[in-house]
Amino acid sequence: MSEEKRNDNSTKSVNKIDRRRFMELTAKFGFTAAAIAMTTGIVGTREAHAAKVSNEEKERKSAAKHIMNLATGYILGASRTYPIMQLDMKENIQNFTNGKVYVKLAPAGQLGAGSALVQKVQTGTIQAAQHSISNFAPFAPAADLINIPYWCGENQKFANLVTSQAWKNEINPKIEAKGFKALWYVNIDPRVVALRKGIAGPIKTPDQMKGIKFRVPGSKILQQFYRLLGANPTPIAWGETASAIKQGVADALDPSVEALLIFGFKDVLSSVTFNGAVPDSQVYSCNLKWFKSLPQDVQDGIDYASEVTMRQNHAKVPAARAYAMSELAKVGVEFYVPTASEKEAWVKAAGSQLPAWDGIKKELIGSLSKFDKLYEAANTKGDYFVDDVKA
């Protein structure tokens, strides 16, 4: 038996042991304690650690005056690859409210994912959730502005934008009018052009996009973007995307490199181009009515916890990207960053300056002049730094 085969069998055996151990700990101490225990410590200490965490969780919940049910679509421990920071968010809210809020975390899609979570937050079924801005857009359409290409695609520009006074003045009121409070925006990395095996790449210039069957989510903005590039946008539900790529129903897709790894695309891809058009970003949203019902000091604590968690997310981005790229490179995925002149060609072909986007800007923000204020904000460095992919 080859060493590679032995290692594979060994990994599968460990995974089976871990799954069995996780179920045992969950039955005894509850999901949260078991999940945290499985991501820390050595095997022999997990039960003791789970017991300690379980006792601490019970004490915190008993002492808290308010419960925040916080749902996410990602497993605990995902932040190594995809810096969603859900455990940090839980811990920070509990600490910065001085224990007045207990965060009951529901990770890994326990309560749903994507638009289902957005709807639950809006109706007050749960108090808060993490989800993509694309899934947020049908409920709070103004946030969909970020999907217009080449104005806030880079990490730094996105961070500048969503923390700016212009965003707070123009976008936050529209979000709040729909019953939400945006706690903080998660910086993951821009969307990419990822080609499946069998398609020649990497894509370097927009003219190479012509005729490419490009998987897109339901966003009409992203569909228009790929049409401007000459690609054939193909709407496919996320849960069906992996099989569609494998079967050749689609030739390419555009999540961030971190998302490509965590969702299991590494064995079906040939190349990834960091064209930096649109953020592949997330947001933590909260039910506005519930938030406003809290005492002022508790509201302030949640706001500060959100600020701190956002800064932790910013610091984590380059490490998560490096891990994702390392894992994808192991199976032969090639990476490409366009040159300055190539990037200029992408912007010229489909950027936010084109008249094709004027109608959408007016629809979402009200006027072109308001969009110009947001554009200026995206290009004005604020108090935050986020690493971007380097050429």
Side-chain angles (χ1 to χ4, degrees), residues 139-215:
F139 300 86
D144 205 25
L145 276 172
I146 68 143
N147 282 323
I148 296 176
Y150 294 112
W151 74 285
C152 66
E154 293 95 332
N155 291 333
Q156 187 62 60
K157 288 183 179 181
F158 177 69
N160 294 344
L161 175 66
V162 296
T163 59
S164 69
Q165 194 59 48
W167 184 270
K168 293 172 185 176
N169 291 343
E170 299 294 343
I171 305 301
N172 282 357
K174 291 178 172 58
I175 291 173
E176 291 176 2
K178 300 294 184 179
F180 299 97
K181 175 181 172 61
L183 294 174
W184 66 282
Y185 293 86
V186 187
N187 212 312
I188 300 295
D189 252 347
R191 292 180 180 272
V192 300
V193 173
L195 296 181
R196 66 175 174 85
K197 290 180 178 178
I199 301 295
I203 297 286
K204 296 183 179 182
T205 56
D207 58 285
Q208 292 176 273
M209 293 284 286
K210 288 182 172 59
I212 293 286
K213 292 180 291 184
F214 211 104
R215 180 269 167 187

Side-chain angles (χ1 to χ4, degrees), residues 43-309:
V43 174
T45 66
R46 283 175 177 165
E47 181 156 339
H49 188 59
K52 181 180 178 181
V53 171
S54 178
N55 289 335
E56 181 180 309
E57 289 293 305
K58 289 175 182 177
E59 290 172 3
R60 285 191 166 191
K61 187 175 182 180
S62 176
K65 296 181 179 179
H66 312 280
I67 303 295
M68 174 191 273
N69 289 283
L70 173 60
T72 82
Y74 294 87
I75 62 170
L76 297 180
S79 289
R80 181 186 187 190
T81 312
Y82 198 84
I84 207 68
M85 317 305 290
Q86 56 186 317
L87 277 175
D88 298 273
M89 184 66 166
K90 169 182 164 65
E91 183 76 7
N92 289 336
I93 289 175
Q94 292 173 169
N95 293 339
F96 283 110
T97 61
N98 198 27
K100 293 179 180 177
V101 175
Y102 172 77
V103 177
K104 186 177 180 182
L105 196 60
Q110 288 180 27
L111 298 180
S115 59
L117 291 183
V118 186
Q119 188 170 33
K120 287 181 178 180
V121 172
Q122 189 179 48
T123 59
T125 306
I126 57 177
Q127 287 73 47
Q130 158 273 318
H131 46 79
S132 72
I133 294 182
S134 293
N135 283 319
F136 202 23
F139 300 86
D144 205 25
L145 276 172
I146 68 143
N147 282 323
I148 296 176
Y150 294 112
W151 74 285
C152 66
E154 293 95 332
N155 291 333
Q156 187 62 60
K157 288 183 179 181
F158 177 69
N160 294 344
L161 175 66
V162 296
T163 59
S164 69
Q165 194 59 48
W167 184 270
K168 293 172 185 176
N169 291 343
E170 299 294 343
I171 305 301
N172 282 357
K174 291 178 172 58
I175 291 173
E176 291 176 2
K178 300 294 184 179
F180 299 97
K181 175 181 172 61
L183 294 174
W184 66 282
Y185 293 86
V186 187
N187 212 312
I188 300 295
D189 252 347
R191 292 180 180 272
V192 300
V193 173
L195 296 181
R196 66 175 174 85
K197 290 180 178 178
I199 301 295
I203 297 286
K204 296 183 179 182
T205 56
D207 58 285
Q208 292 176 273
M209 293 284 286
K210 288 182 172 59
I212 293 286
K213 292 180 291 184
F214 211 104
R215 180 269 167 187
V216 292
S219 170
K220 293 181 180 178
I221 295 178
L222 288 176
Q223 292 175 34
Q224 179 167 318
F225 169 41
Y226 291 114
R227 278 195 294 270
L228 286 171
L229 295 174
N232 179 17
T234 307
I236 299 172
W238 181 243
E240 300 169 5
T241 299
S243 60
I245 294 291
K246 289 177 184 177
Q247 295 168 13
V249 175
D251 300 321
L253 70 164
D254 67 356
S256 65
V257 67
E258 293 90 341
L260 291 172
L261 176 63
I262 198 170
F263 288 109
F265 286 93
K266 72 176 186 178
D267 293 325
V268 300
L269 301 178
S270 62
S271 68
V272 169
T273 298
F274 294 99
N275 58 319
V278 175
D280 187 13
S281 53
Q282 304 275 322
V283 62
Y284 278 83
S285 70
C286 180
N287 180 274
L288 183 63
K289 184 177 179 180
W290 176 82
F291 182 83
K292 287 188 171 182
S293 73
L294 300 171
Q296 189 60 53
D297 65 319
V298 176
Q299 292 184 35
D300 293 343
I302 293 174
D303 281 338
Y304 193 47
S306 299
E307 160 92 5
V308 169
T309 313

Side-chain angles (χ1 to χ4, degrees), residues 346-381:
W346 285 92
V347 175
K348 184 178 179 180
S352 65
Q353 79 286 349
L354 296 178
W357 298 113
D358 288 352
I360 289 175
K361 293 174 188 176
K362 291 176 183 177
E363 177 186 344
L364 295 181
I365 195 63
S367 70
L368 297 182
S369 61
K370 288 183 178 180
F371 179 82
D372 290 342
K373 289 180 182 178
L374 292 170
Y375 184 93
E376 182 181 354
N379 285 274
T380 302
K381 178 71 166 62

